[in-house]
Amino acid sequence: MEQNLFVYNTLTRKKEEFKPLNPPHVGMYVCGPTVYSDVHLGNCRTYISFDLIFRYLTQIGYKVRYVRNITDAGHLEGDAGDQGEDKISKKAKLAQLEPMEIVQKYTVGFRDVLHTFNTLPPSIEPTATGHIIEQIELIKIMLDRGYAYEVDGSVYFDVEKYNANHDYGVLNGRNLEDLLNNTRTLGGQEEKHGKLDFALWIKAKPEHLMKWPSPWGVGFPGWHLECSAMSHKYLGEQFDIHGGGIDLVPTHHTNEIAQNFACCEKNPANYWIHTNMLTVNGQKMSKSLGNSFLPHELFSGEHSILDRGYSPMTVRFFILQAHYRSTLDFGNEAMEASDKGFKRLMNAVSLLDTLKASATTDVDVAPLKQRCYDAMNDDFNSPVLIAELFEATRIINSVHDGKMKIDTANLEILKNIIKTFVFDVLGLKNEQAADDDLPKVLNLVVNLRNEAKKNQDYATSDKIRDGLQKIGIQLKDSKEGTNWSKI
């Protein structure tokens, strides 16, 4: 069925009908992680949101080339500045490891976490260090066109010269004068022609670990240049969607647009899509506030602000219950509500194959199916989609309880709704169905606890009980023995 999809474009600040440059092909670039530490839940929200977008575009018939990079060099401390230490090099020195050991460790960790959240891998996952040649070639073009200049082995982008012919603040909606007045003085400013100029290539100090030869001397690329080079190589001078977190709008994505215009007089992407922030009990997530936690801490519940642990699919469901452009506030009450909602949905899904079709029907589910598409066609509105899926849940439960009849045709549509939107689009998995070996494992644990009690090792017995409680398994002792159940 043909679908008219509308997406909110940060560039124009309005919803627009999605019209790919070369249908049915779609090019989508999403800024990936800087792999110097474990990926946090706010990052995961961004990648789960773009997984939803990738899945839905594929569902409605597009052939998507999804490019998500790995930043493994050139990202300096302070993000916007051109001075300071490379984040990966700094971590490598502290750990007394090679930078590529740090890169490997956290790249593997990043992929493992996203796999746990059931995100699909991108079509291409290029690295910054694998595209040094492409970055050097783009710098040459910008120098030739007069938008860049070299100073003592470093190359800078000339923002004011660029702005004379282009709108530098087109993405963030701010004019150059405002940007200049609100820019703090950064290190290395004396080399630059203007306060807003940013580095395309940075001369490496002797102690800098990650450096490469270039026409301007030994150095390393600027962070903003890397994404321009990789998106340009794999998606062309102009493609359909560029995405990332909203924090990338003011500087990183603004500079990507400037670089692309400077090279080929085109905005790299027609649609700019940005995810909003994750907050914790109304506050920004930060280490200094003690409210920052990693996905594995959320799964285990081993953090001071968590009442207990939650499964990966409960967390994914929680994230998708908010629209990707809305601020998502994490709290124990919100997680408990999501856990109940997710289990309610999965319980209904489990009943679906047990339903028997009748000769007559009390329900027409075709309009429900279209409303599911309508929700996703309205800027990938997952919370509205989930509300429609709870209507499907109500129907499933009513048919199962004998309160409603459904014929074969409508039952097939209902099954298609669940497969399409619960599994294929939202990317949820029925964890209960996946836990076929769980009873065997828990029976073994219960027997070990019983042995500990028999030996009067009550400390171990209590530790097992409390540990299972934290991960959502409750033990109940009775005269007949010990039973377990999911909380």
Side-chain angles (χ1 to χ4, degrees):
M1 95 179 46
E2 188 174 334
Q3 303 296 335
N4 294 321
L5 170 64
F6 287 81
V7 302
Y8 182 86
N9 192 348
T10 307
L11 190 67
T12 59
R13 296 163 191 81
K14 63 182 180 183
K15 287 182 190 176
E16 298 175 356
E17 186 171 0
F18 181 63
K19 295 181 178 178
L21 290 165
N22 184 29
H25 300 281
V26 170
M28 181 169 78
Y29 187 92
V30 175
C31 290
T34 301
V35 283
Y36 71 101
S37 64
D38 291 309
V39 62
H40 61 72
L41 198 62
N43 299 136
C44 292
R45 186 202 182 180
T46 292
Y47 302 124
I48 289 170
S49 297
F50 280 100
D51 183 61
L52 173 80
I53 291 169
F54 179 35
R55 284 170 175 274
Y56 187 65
L57 291 171
T58 303
Q59 170 61 36
I60 58 177
Y62 290 115
K63 300 182 186 304
V64 186
R65 177 178 288 174
Y66 175 16
V67 182
R68 186 185 67 211
N69 73 294
I70 297 289
T71 297
D72 58 352
H75 195 165
L76 304 185
E77 295 175 287
D79 292 344
D82 300 323
Q83 298 294 309
E85 198 164 3
D86 182 290
K87 292 182 177 184
I88 293 163
S89 291
K90 182 178 180 181
K91 189 67 171 268
K93 287 176 184 176
L94 289 171
Q96 294 185 307
L97 297 170
E98 280 290 328
M100 283 300 125
E101 286 182 87
I102 297 296
V103 166
Q104 179 71 5
K105 175 184 176 180
Y106 291 112
T107 300
V108 169
F110 168 71
R111 290 171 180 157
D112 285 348
V113 167
L114 291 195
H115 178 72
T116 302
F117 281 125
N118 199 33
T119 66
L120 300 173
S123 315
I124 304 173
E125 196 171 39
T127 64
T129 56
H131 296 79
I132 299 296
I133 293 171
E134 289 84 355
Q135 293 170 70
I136 289 172
E137 291 304 307
L138 288 187
I139 294 172
K140 288 179 183 177
I141 294 170
M142 286 183 264
L143 283 166
D144 289 345
R145 300 195 71 204
Y147 290 115
Y149 57 92
E150 187 257 338
V151 180
D152 189 28
S154 292
V155 183
Y156 296 97
F157 189 93
D158 193 326
V159 171
E160 290 186 57
K161 189 169 183 181
Y162 169 82
N163 196 69
N165 300 313
H166 308 84
D167 181 4
Y168 176 67
V170 64
L171 188 67
N172 59 36
R174 299 177 67 187
N175 62 45
L176 193 69
E177 188 177 344
D178 286 344
L179 290 168
L180 285 167
N181 290 337
N182 288 286
T183 300
R184 60 190 174 90
T185 302
L186 299 167
Q189 201 70 50
E190 65 279 355
E191 288 189 346
K192 301 178 184 179
H193 293 176
K195 287 170 67 177
L196 290 173
D197 294 359
F198 57 91
L200 300 171
W201 187 263
I202 304 167
K203 180 181 179 180
K205 295 176 181 177
E207 67 272 17
H208 198 89
L209 294 178
M210 305 177 79
K211 50 196 173 188
W212 294 264
S214 81
W216 316 284
V218 175
F220 55 96
W223 172 39
H224 313 302
L225 180 66
E226 297 170 347
C227 285
S228 288
M230 288 182 278
S231 65
H232 190 274
K233 175 162 184 170
Y234 296 109
L235 298 174
E237 293 180 350
Q238 194 167 38
F239 49 94
D240 298 299
I241 295 171
H242 196 314
I246 197 169
D247 57 311
L248 299 180
V249 171
T251 305
H252 185 53
H253 286 171
T254 288
N255 290 346
E256 277 192 69
I257 290 174
Q259 289 166 159
N260 213 71
F261 267 111
C263 287
C264 58
E265 293 298 333
K266 292 177 181 176
N267 193 310
N270 282 348
Y271 303 89
W272 288 80
I273 298 177
H274 292 96
T275 58
N276 213 323
M277 291 188 303
L278 178 73
T279 58
V280 180
N281 297 320
Q283 292 182 303
K284 184 179 179 181
M285 182 183 277
S286 73
K287 289 180 181 177
S288 61
L289 292 171
N291 65 359
S292 175
F293 50 85
L294 300 173
H296 72 84
E297 292 174 318
L298 183 51
F299 302 153
S300 67
E302 292 174 357
H303 193 284
S304 58
I305 69 169
L306 297 169
D307 288 347
R308 67 177 180 91
Y310 298 92
S311 74
M313 285 302 101
T314 295
V315 179
R316 183 178 175 109
F317 185 72
F318 163 71
I319 287 170
L320 295 175
Q321 276 189 298
H323 191 269
Y324 76 88
R325 285 195 292 114
S326 303
T327 301
L328 175 60
D329 189 48
F330 176 91
N332 284 294
E333 286 186 15
M335 284 304 305
E336 286 292 343
S338 289
D339 189 49
K340 289 177 183 175
F342 174 66
K343 285 175 179 172
R344 182 177 152 216
L345 178 62
M346 287 301 120
N347 286 338
V349 169
S350 299
L351 294 175
L352 192 55
D353 287 335
T354 70
L355 300 187
K356 299 288 191 291
S358 302
T360 59
T361 187
D362 296 324
V363 61
D364 178 8
V365 293
L368 173 61
K369 182 177 180 179
Q370 186 56 51
R371 291 199 304 274
C372 289
Y373 278 107
D374 291 344
M376 288 301 293
N377 288 334
D378 183 15
D379 194 28
F380 312 104
N381 201 323
S382 56
V384 171
L385 170 62
I386 289 170
E388 296 294 353
L389 291 173
F390 277 123
E391 172 61 14
T393 295
R394 185 190 68 80
I395 294 168
I396 292 168
N397 288 332
S398 295
V399 173
H400 178 264
D401 294 342
K403 298 175 182 176
M404 186 181 284
K405 294 179 181 178
I406 191 168
D407 62 15
T408 302
N410 277 286
L411 183 56
E412 286 306 307
I413 295 172
L414 193 58
K415 288 179 179 179
N416 180 263
I417 289 171
I418 296 301
K419 180 190 179 300
T420 299
F421 291 101
V422 174
F423 299 124
D424 295 347
V425 174
L426 291 179
L428 298 170
K429 291 194 298 185
N430 191 341
E431 290 167 319
Q432 290 176 321
D435 287 345
D436 292 339
D437 292 328
L438 184 62
K440 297 176 189 175
V441 174
L442 283 174
N443 287 336
L444 175 63
V445 173
V446 167
N447 287 337
L448 289 172
R449 179 172 174 264
N450 288 340
E451 282 183 28
K453 286 172 70 178
K454 188 176 178 181
N455 296 329
Q456 297 186 336
D457 183 1
Y458 299 115
T460 299
S461 169
D462 291 346
K463 192 174 182 180
I464 292 171
R465 182 199 61 209
D466 296 343
L468 290 174
Q469 178 91 12
K470 280 184 179 179
I471 61 171
I473 305 294
Q474 187 173 50
L475 298 184
K476 192 170 285 185
D477 295 318
S478 67
K479 291 178 182 178
E480 289 75 31
T482 303
N483 294 316
W484 62 268
S485 62
K486 288 192 174 185
I487 300 171

